[in-house]
Amino acid sequence: MLDPFLTFINQHKLDLKKQPCLLTVSGGVDSVVMLHLFQKAGFPAGVAHCNFGLREEESEGDEQFVKTLANASGFPFYSKRFNVKSFAKEKGISTQMAARDLRYGWFEELRAGNNYSYIATAHHANDSLETTLLNLTRGTGLAGLHGISGINNHLLRPLLFATKEQILAYAQENGLQWREDRSNDSDDYKRNLVRHKVIPVLKELNPSLESTFNHSSAKLRSADQLLKEMLDDWAAGVVVKAEDQIRISKTMLILATEPAYRLWHILQDYGFAYSQVEKIINSLTGVSGKFFHSASHELLIDRENLILKKTAVDESNGDIQIVEEQHEVDLVGRHIILSKKIQNTDEGFLKSRSSVSINLDKVIFPLTIRKWKPGDVFQPLGMNGKQKKLSDLFIDSKMDQFTKKQTLVLLNGNGEIMWVVGVRLDERYKIHQGVTHILQVTFVDNR
């Protein structure tokens, strides 16, 4: 087994003599064999063991066993105890998920803090097959069909080439000792149910099931990589990233073959499920303005594009007042700077979309900053004596719903809107010939 182990390492172009690994060792036969192979190959390593205390005296025995094994192998030993039940309750997750989060978080701390190149786990061919079968029952894309990867960033699975039978045979041939976890015999866990009830039936149909799966897995992984490269090339001409938005061309999606899969390739990293993507595609030719939400992002079907943004934090549930003595105001993600100036010439009234100059002689403190509301009206710059609803201004400007939701207004002390922030100044507060006292208001976006 040492030869195929070294072949696996070489196929992944790793130099583990110069890239020490942190071995995650539970005390079970899989991790004991992994440790033994590293020792025989002469690869430097450390040994990490998690004690979750879920099996009381057995858990204590596991920790002592792994410590003795590490010391005998000449590898540094690290151990940590976790209150996994308390963590699971705090996070509202299962005990299994809590244990996974805790151990991988700690493993990464050890790896980075002790200059290990990789975290090595003892997953094998059967684990990969079980993962694929579980993914099939839950629903999965192509990536979920090729099982566990041999290497993924700092995670290394150097036993993926081997079956459980081969691992057990190696342990017995070399007289290795290991610990048995009684929970592995229980069908209360989904993985164990697949292991004990499903795979034996499949092996009756194909006694070489694990070997066949390894070959299929390699082909699926290659196909998935090729498909990703093709979709990335296509997305480069369809997706435009600007500031805090991602815009996706509706026309290009409508004209494309398999538009749902193409869009899912773009949106899956932002938390959107395939079922949501199908609904988005079905809404492309409908009325614009429809929103779709994931846990972290929201997507708007606008006139010409799909607009994707991170879900915004509400800046304020109420109004923010600015007294005359204030020169700076902090909002969530934004900073307001106010300064009074005297000018002898007409400098103009709009510095940029984020900065405006207002006739100070007409300003009444305190001022108010708030989000716009339906029914708000003002007198847009250039419209003498005529008022306009902000909602109509937004329609005329073809403003998308994202921008509209985040638009703020600056109100004078008499309740009049002086500035629709970043959009338009009110005609009544512009700088005209002869005005020398100016209030300059600047919004700085810190998001």
Side-chain angles (χ1 to χ4, degrees), residues 97-122:
M97 185 60 69
R100 186 188 187 283
D101 290 349
L102 287 169
R103 67 175 177 265
Y104 278 105
W106 179 57
F107 292 156
E108 176 55 25
E109 288 178 16
L110 281 177
R111 185 202 67 79
N114 294 275
N115 296 317
Y116 291 108
S117 297
Y118 297 102
I119 298 166
T121 67

Side-chain angles (χ1 to χ4, degrees), residues 313-320 331-332 369-371 408:
V313 177
D314 191 9
E315 280 146 340
S316 174
N317 293 323
D319 302 347
I320 295 177
L331 301 175
V332 176
I369 291 284
R370 65 165 171 80
K371 287 188 174 182
L408 302 177

Side-chain angles (χ1 to χ4, degrees), residues 381-400:
L381 187 66
M383 293 182 64
N384 292 319
K386 295 182 179 180
Q387 289 205 334
K388 188 167 189 169
K389 288 184 178 180
L390 266 62
S391 56
D392 292 337
L393 175 71
F394 297 154
I395 293 172
D396 292 346
S397 303
K398 297 184 177 180
M399 182 181 291
D400 65 69

Side-chain angles (χ1 to χ4, degrees), residues 198-256:
V198 178
I199 289 180
V201 175
L202 296 177
K203 283 182 73 69
E204 288 183 14
L205 299 174
N206 179 7
S208 302
L209 180 65
E210 296 90 352
S211 176
T212 302
F213 171 74
N214 276 346
H215 291 301
S216 298
S217 175
K219 287 184 284 187
L220 286 167
R221 188 172 290 108
S222 297
D224 190 29
Q225 183 59 38
L226 286 172
L227 182 58
K228 284 179 181 177
E229 291 174 6
M230 293 170 61
L231 289 173
D232 285 343
D233 287 342
W234 172 81
V238 176
V239 177
V240 176
K241 295 184 179 181
E243 297 179 355
D244 60 344
Q245 294 184 354
I246 296 175
R247 291 177 175 260
I248 305 164
S249 169
K250 284 173 63 175
T251 301
M252 295 295 284
L253 273 173
I254 292 170
L255 294 176

